[in-house]
Amino acid sequence: MCGIMGYIGPKDAAEIVIGGLECLEYRGYDSAGIALAEGHKIGISKCVGSVANLKTQLEKCSLSGKMGIGHTRWATHGGVTRENAHPHVDPDGKVVLIHNGIIENFHELGEEFAKKGVRFVSETDTEIAALLISSLYRDDPLLAIREACGRLRGAFAFVILFADIADRYYCVRKGPPLVLGAAGGEAFCASDVTALLPYTNNVLFMEDEEIAELSAEGIVLYGFDGLRKEACPHLVDWDASMTSKGTYPHFMLKEIEEQGSVLRRTLTGRLENGVIGLEAEFPFSEDARLFRRIHFVACGTSCHASAVAGRLADRYTGLDVRVETASEYRYGNVICDKHTLAVFVSQSGETADTLAAASLAQARGARCLAVTNVVSSSLGREVGSVLELRAGPEIGVAATKTFMGQLAALTLLTLWISKRKGLLAPQEEKRLCAELARLPAKVEDILARGEDVRKIAERYKGLPAFLFIGREASYPVAMEGALKLKEISYVHAEAHAAGEMKHGPIALLNERMPVVAVVPKDGIYKKMLSNIQESRARRAPIITVASRGDEDIRRFSNDSLFVPETEEEFTPFLTVVPLQLFAYHLASILGREIDRPRNLAKSVTVE
Ligand code: M6R
């Protein structure tokens, strides 16, 4: 949450910082701000709203500089106002600072300063950091930062300018991510590698409790103990073209349409000649027979993909399966030991709750695996063992193609464990592999008929709420469909296990509350038909997501979205696609800000 970009070098810093913030806007877009240093003069511009507003504001003033830091905010402490926008400055104007994270003891520290007569300009937890560093600063910036970090509790990524230092700026990481890059007399920092790709893909992921000094000479790293640390850069195999929208109106649509190729990439090399092979990526293959439990832990969309995988694991692994939201897992008294395989699923690899849950499982001795799109993310580095999604950068706040990548990676993992435990017969493996290989083309077949979904969305545009239902693996798909709809269209949507309808939710139904039923031809199909009938009897309009060729379903539906037939285990790969498109088109018809839905941020780096 919150996007940070910093630059020093021979070029105009404003252009580079603004460009970086535009790229990072998916992390927050409540307000934006920039500080530009020209020698010892630091100019600041900030505003409520998007980076575009900041850009317009900057064009009207004469700020410039070869060193600059910028911020796009997702508000935590303090409302969305210009005063609360970053950068923040201490009253003496010595320290200018931007922040991502939460400083938990800002009240206590604030009272100390208030007693000394300091008056705060903002309601944020950030201003205190600028004050504290300034109060500790004599002539050694590193020492002041280290002493301040010793007094601050919570999570923070800071980028700091000192008014009397014209040739360097500083980055600090304790929690939220910061990525650094240096090349040809320039040094950059950003919250996410995507902002650095136009300049370099040789990057340095800051570790926790590190301070970096960035100058035209490059990057020098220190620990919180003040000792120099060796910098170990990573080569990232993404390029800037992957973060462009191309001719699409929204990143979300582009990413939905990429799902066939994402699926191909995720399966490539892991599925050959009817055989699943994860030897190279799954370090616990030898221990598979010793596992008693498998835990899937994640948030949001990643948790829905985990719930699909959980059902597959129930069926194929013979393990005790638990699927849990990361924010709950970490506080429960979970049995999690060396007989437990704990799988942490996160697109970004930066979700604070998922990271905290992974630390807990590691401390308890579980075998931990990260399933993530960003191998060098905090989660990837914390856990060490990574199964990569290979979905490419996802910019739209609503996760789509990474859900597809997660389904594929988790399916391979689950079947691989089954195989290592001797539970997957070669014939069965062959049958499943053959169908997995056919899925990308089937996804593309659905996408080719996207316009049909738009027409259906048009018919439902005025309705205030939707109820999504499904059973077994279609239940998490229903949850994902409801999540997509509410997060980008702001239309109320909830999902229920279809069998639960009669225990309460059915009371909500009337002719203005459509039921979206995920009803592929599977073993539970007949039961779903009964639930659909019950909903029809309460006058709810019915939209079904069904298997192509199921003509019967039309009799029970006002509208149907058909997907190709597949093996029962794999229906989520297909049924989710029309739901993503439905959410996208409804939001587009309603004129919503699809790639930047209100109140949300792509990476949730606070707990
Ligand atoms: O990066 P992660 O997969 O850990 O993110 C988890 C959730 O924050 C994320 O899936 C969120 O629910 C998305 N907005 C869903 O579209």
Side-chain angles (χ1 to χ4, degrees):
M1 314 191 116
C2 300
I4 287 177
M5 180 79 189
Y7 173 77
I8 185 167
K11 297 185 193 135
D12 173 24
E15 200 179 318
I16 291 174
V17 171
I18 293 287
L21 293 183
E22 283 171 338
C23 184
L24 295 169
E25 222 175 353
Y26 64 84
R27 301 178 69 89
Y29 27 82
D30 292 331
S31 61
I34 190 168
L36 294 166
E38 188 77 86
H40 293 302
K41 201 169 139 274
I42 300 179
I44 293 178
S45 175
K46 43 192 198 175
C47 63
V48 167
S50 66
V51 178
N53 294 358
L54 180 66
K55 202 171 168 180
T56 314
Q57 189 170 296
L58 261 187
E59 279 159 9
K60 291 186 198 139
C61 64
S62 57
L63 287 188
S64 67
K66 306 284 184 216
M67 178 163 76
I69 61 176
H71 188 266
T72 174
R73 179 170 185 243
W74 187 84
T76 56
H77 293 62
V80 180
T81 63
R82 190 191 166 279
E83 289 69 34
N84 291 337
H86 301 214
H88 290 278
V89 191
D90 70 292
D92 300 327
K94 290 196 289 185
V95 170
V96 178
L97 175 145
I98 57 182
H99 167 219
N100 176 18
I102 292 177
I103 295 168
E104 289 165 0
N105 58 340
F106 82 104
H107 262 305
E108 296 93 292
L109 292 170
E111 274 166 19
E112 267 181 43
F113 280 96
K115 277 183 201 147
K116 292 181 200 157
V118 173
R119 289 191 50 210
F120 291 91
V121 177
S122 76
E123 305 154 316
T124 66
D125 55 334
T126 302
E127 197 179 346
I128 195 70
L131 256 167
L132 187 61
I133 295 172
S134 168
S135 71
L136 295 164
Y137 180 50
R138 303 288 169 263
D139 53 7
D140 183 345
L142 195 62
L143 184 65
I145 293 172
R146 284 175 48 222
E147 285 181 1
C149 290
R151 298 207 52 204
L152 296 170
R153 304 276 161 270
F156 41 86
F158 295 136
V159 182
I160 311 162
L161 299 179
F162 288 85
D164 63 344
I165 302 177
D167 60 352
R168 279 162 291 155
Y169 69 100
Y170 291 84
C171 293
V172 180
R173 179 182 182 187
K174 185 177 173 226
L178 270 181
V179 192
L180 315 177
E186 299 178 293
F188 309 84
C189 74
S191 303
D192 190 330
V193 68
T194 49
L196 301 188
L197 292 176
Y199 313 103
T200 180
N201 57 358
N202 193 21
V203 298
L204 190 70
F205 293 90
M206 285 187 80
E207 299 290 342
D208 250 354
E209 310 216 335
E210 278 185 350
I211 303 169
E213 187 181 74
L214 290 88
S215 69
E217 278 79 55
I219 299 165
V220 183
L221 271 186
Y222 300 90
F224 274 13
D225 55 9
L227 298 177
R228 282 276 295 258
K229 291 184 73 175
E230 198 192 337
C232 304
H234 281 67
L235 208 58
V236 179
D237 67 352
W238 291 356
D239 64 63
S241 68
M242 291 165 123
T243 59
S244 135
K245 217 162 36 182
T247 54
Y248 285 92
H250 300 103
F251 277 108
M252 183 180 178
L253 186 61
K254 175 179 182 246
E255 287 159 3
I256 289 174
E257 299 223 338
E258 281 172 11
Q259 291 184 107
S261 37
V262 166
L263 209 40
R264 272 187 204 95
R265 276 205 302 276
T266 310
L267 297 174
T268 297
R270 295 163 168 168
L271 184 76
E272 300 291 349
N273 306 320
V275 176
I276 297 166
L278 285 189
E279 295 87 342
E281 293 162 284
F282 184 64
F284 313 118
S285 296
E286 295 309 317
D287 304 335
R289 284 172 198 272
L290 304 176
F291 293 148
R292 292 185 196 143
R293 287 172 281 281
I294 183 165
H295 293 174
F296 295 96
V297 185
C299 300
T301 288
S302 301
C303 200
H304 297 156
S306 300
V308 173
R311 278 151 177 93
L312 198 69
D314 268 337
R315 190 161 173 168
Y316 281 97
T317 64
L319 296 171
D320 182 14
V321 180
R322 180 172 185 143
V323 180
E324 187 97 65
T325 304
S327 55
E328 295 296 314
Y329 185 83
R330 33 184 310 213
Y331 299 113
N333 193 18
V334 184
I335 300 175
C336 174
D337 55 16
K338 63 179 182 181
H339 298 296
T340 308
L341 174 64
V343 183
F344 296 91
V345 186
S346 171
Q347 182 284 127
S348 60
E350 301 294 349
T351 300
D353 285 316
T354 310
L355 280 166
S359 306
L360 179 123
Q362 282 194 307
R364 293 192 181 167
R367 305 278 197 262
C368 295
L369 178 76
V371 177
T372 178
N373 201 28
V374 189
V375 179
S376 42
S377 60
S378 303
L379 183 70
R381 283 175 293 126
E382 158 100 26
V383 168
S385 312
V386 179
L387 187 57
E388 189 189 358
L389 299 185
R390 303 181 185 158
E394 187 177 67
I395 311 290
V397 167
T400 51
K401 65 173 178 175
T402 52
F403 179 77
M404 188 60 72
Q406 287 167 344
L407 289 183
L410 292 171
T411 298
L412 290 170
L413 173 69
T414 305
L415 295 176
W416 174 248
I417 294 167
S418 173
K419 181 171 158 171
R420 296 298 304 184
K421 291 187 76 201
L423 298 174
L424 188 66
Q427 273 316 100
E428 179 81 332
E429 183 179 6
K430 217 168 173 161
R431 173 182 72 84
L432 294 171
C433 286
E435 183 56 13
L436 274 172
R438 285 191 283 267
L439 287 176
K442 292 188 179 184
V443 166
E444 280 158 358
D445 175 293
I446 303 167
L447 292 169
R449 299 160 202 245
E451 206 33 48
D452 299 349
V453 186
R454 184 175 181 93
K455 286 181 196 144
I456 293 178
E458 186 73 46
R459 292 204 269 280
Y460 293 87
K461 67 182 173 205
L463 296 178
F466 289 74
L467 214 143
F468 287 68
I469 58 171
R471 283 173 178 259
E472 293 195 326
S474 295
Y475 173 37
V477 173
M479 291 197 273
E480 179 59 8
L483 177 64
K484 288 289 89 87
L485 187 61
K486 65 188 137 194
E487 66 180 341
I488 59 163
S489 72
Y490 319 146
V491 172
H492 177 76
E494 50 184 276
H496 294 279
E500 278 291 294
M501 289 289 285
K502 54 191 171 296
H503 299 289
I506 203 165
L508 291 168
L509 297 186
N510 61 28
E511 62 283 351
R512 289 189 48 81
M513 182 141 190
V515 169
V516 183
V518 186
V519 55
K521 269 274 164 94
D522 57 14
I524 205 90
Y525 174 78
K526 287 258 158 58
K527 294 257 184 277
M528 275 300 292
L529 284 191
S530 306
N531 300 132
I532 292 170
Q533 295 282 37
E534 289 155 12
S535 304
R536 269 169 67 84
R538 272 81 193 173
R539 303 190 312 279
I542 307 291
I543 305 169
T544 47
V545 180
S547 302
R548 203 170 286 158
D550 180 4
E551 289 307 315
D552 282 351
I553 201 78
R554 288 190 195 274
R555 289 193 287 126
F556 310 116
S557 319
N558 297 68
D559 285 291
S560 293
L561 298 161
F562 289 106
V563 300
E565 282 199 88
T566 181
E567 298 286 347
E568 152 163 81
E569 291 85 346
F570 302 144
T571 57
F573 286 88
L574 305 183
T575 50
V576 75
V577 179
L579 297 182
Q580 295 167 337
L581 286 168
F582 184 75
Y584 172 79
H585 287 305
L586 195 64
S588 150
I589 291 162
L590 295 174
R592 306 297 192 223
E593 278 254 36
I594 292 180
D595 286 332
R596 299 184 311 160
R598 71 181 179 207
N599 304 340
L600 293 177
K602 180 119 189 113
S603 270
V604 185
T605 53
V606 293
E607 292 171 18

